[in-house]
């Protein structure tokens, strides 16, 4: 599980707080916000110009995404949106969680 934050646009960033993905080894994922499941889809990794990208093909086409993975530690990653789905203004920090995030857990009640 990961919680995502959008940084370049503060208003949109607040609207995206609590977003999470659960990636499964079979190439599928679930996606939601706070305790709510939004949709499912498939994920894949590919390399473009020596940069690793993750593509998220959601059941809801408007939720398709692609990100360049720019850095990682054991508990976090930084993703930057690509032009594939017109998301190049997105800068996202993901963190590793064991459960879906809650508003209470992050002080957003």
């Amino acid at each position: 599980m990961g919680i995502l934050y959008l940084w370049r646009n503060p208003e949109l960033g607040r609207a995206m707080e609590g977003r999470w993905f659960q990636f499964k080894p079979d190439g599928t994922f679930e996606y939601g916000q706070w305790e709510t499941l939004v949709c499912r889809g498939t994920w894949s990794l590919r390399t473009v110009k020596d940069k690793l990208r993750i593509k998220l093909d959601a059941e809801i086409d408007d939720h398709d995404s692609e990100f360049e993975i720019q850095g990682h530690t054991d508990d976090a990653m930084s993703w930057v949106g690509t032009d594939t789905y017109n998301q190049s203004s997105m800068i996202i920090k993901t963190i590793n969680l064991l459960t879906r995030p809650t508003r209470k857990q992050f002080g957003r009640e």
Side-chain angles (χ1 to χ4, degrees):
M1 297 257 173
I3 189 166
L4 307 178
Y5 294 94
L6 182 67
W7 292 353
R8 284 194 186 164
N9 178 331
E11 184 178 309
L12 186 53
R14 283 187 295 279
M16 291 189 68
E17 283 185 342
R19 299 268 175 124
W20 55 265
F21 293 94
Q22 182 178 18
F23 295 101
K24 299 180 181 182
D26 67 358
T28 62
F29 72 89
E30 292 182 339
Y31 151 74
Q33 188 165 14
W34 300 117
E35 295 90 350
T36 304
L37 175 68
V38 173
C39 70
R40 294 175 172 85
T42 59
W43 65 273
S44 61
L45 296 172
R46 67 185 182 120
T47 303
V48 176
K49 297 182 183 176
D50 295 327
K51 304 287 185 178
L52 185 61
R53 291 185 178 189
I54 185 166
K55 181 177 180 180
L56 308 174
D57 185 11
E59 291 173 339
I60 302 169
D61 288 340
D62 287 345
H63 293 247
D64 289 347
S65 297
E66 183 181 71
F67 300 95
E68 183 178 294
I69 300 172
Q70 292 199 340
H72 66 87
T73 66
D74 289 343
D75 295 323
M77 286 192 291
S78 59
W79 296 357
V80 175
T82 69
D83 289 328
T84 303
Y85 297 103
N86 203 21
Q87 298 169 324
S88 61
S89 66
M90 296 176 79
I91 299 173
I92 297 171
K93 177 183 179 184
T94 67
I95 61 174
N96 189 31
L97 297 172
L98 299 176
T99 61
R100 292 180 183 176
T102 65
R103 290 180 183 278
K104 183 177 182 179
Q105 177 182 17
F106 285 88
R108 301 294 195 261
E109 297 181 283

